[in-house]
Amino acid sequence: RSRRQRQMCIRDRMKMDYDKLIEKRNNEGGFSEFCGIKITKIKEGCAEAEVQVNTEHFNSMSIIHGGMLFTLADTVGGACARSHGYNVTTVNANIEFLQAGANVETLYAYAKTVSKGNKIYRVQVDIFDQLKHHLTTSVLTFYTGSNPAPVTFE
C-alpha cells in the first residue's frame, strides 16, 4: 500500500467524537475563549457557534467590531474543517460585511465545508444576529499539511 492509502485506512477507522471535539474547542483557552466564542455543534462538514455580546465586542460607533466577526468566522470555520478528522491552519480568508451589527445581543455562526481536497479544505461561514440579520458571509481556506495529524483529545 502507498502512504496515501495507509493514511486513508487510518482515517476511515478513526471515529470522530464530536462532543469531545466541542469540549476541546471550548476549553482550549486562547483568543477564541477570551472573545466569548462557544462552539455549539459539530458534525462532519459543518459547525455552529455563538457569542453572547458585551460592550467589549463593539467598536467606537457602537456596532460589532469587524475583528470580532472575523475571529468568530475563523473559529467556527476551523471547527468545521477539523470535523473531517485532522488539525488545520487557516491559509486564506475572505469576509464580506453585509450590514452593520447594531443592537446585537447574540451572534450565531454557521459553517459548512464547500470543498475538500487532500490537503486543502474550503469552508463557508455565515454570521447572523439574534434577529436573523445576515451580518457577514465568508469563505476560508484551511491547510492540513503534507502528513495530517488526526485530532487528538488528550
Side-chain angles (χ1 to χ4, degrees), residues 97-152:
F97 298 96
L98 304 174
Q99 60 181 298
N103 302 313
V104 175
E105 298 171 7
T106 308
L107 294 168
Y108 299 95
Y110 304 93
K112 65 179 179 181
T113 301
V114 292
S115 68
K116 185 177 135 222
N118 291 333
K119 298 178 186 178
I120 299 290
Y121 303 153
R122 289 175 48 89
V123 175
Q124 179 178 334
V125 178
D126 293 287
I127 299 175
F128 299 85
D129 68 9
Q130 75 278 0
L131 299 175
K132 301 194 186 327
H133 295 128
H134 196 182
L135 303 180
T136 72
T137 189
S138 55
V139 176
L140 297 96
T141 305
F142 297 90
Y143 179 67
T144 64
S146 59
N147 187 14
V151 174
T152 58

Side-chain angles (χ1 to χ4, degrees), residues 27-98:
N27 294 303
E28 286 179 315
F31 194 62
S32 296
E33 187 173 331
F34 175 78
C35 290
I37 298 170
K38 295 289 181 205
I39 301 296
T40 57
K41 178 180 179 182
I42 299 176
K43 64 181 186 176
E44 186 165 5
C46 67
E48 298 177 8
E50 66 182 56
V51 175
Q52 297 302 312
V53 174
N54 62 49
T55 57
E56 287 81 19
H57 294 123
F58 292 98
N59 64 19
S60 61
M61 297 181 291
S62 298
I63 60 175
I64 295 293
H65 194 285
M68 179 63 217
L69 294 167
F70 186 89
T71 298
L72 177 56
D74 188 36
T75 301
V76 74
C80 176
R82 283 177 79 180
S83 75
H84 297 290
Y86 296 104
N87 291 313
V88 297
T89 189
T90 309
V91 294
N92 191 43
N94 179 40
I95 189 166
E96 295 180 38
F97 298 96
L98 304 174

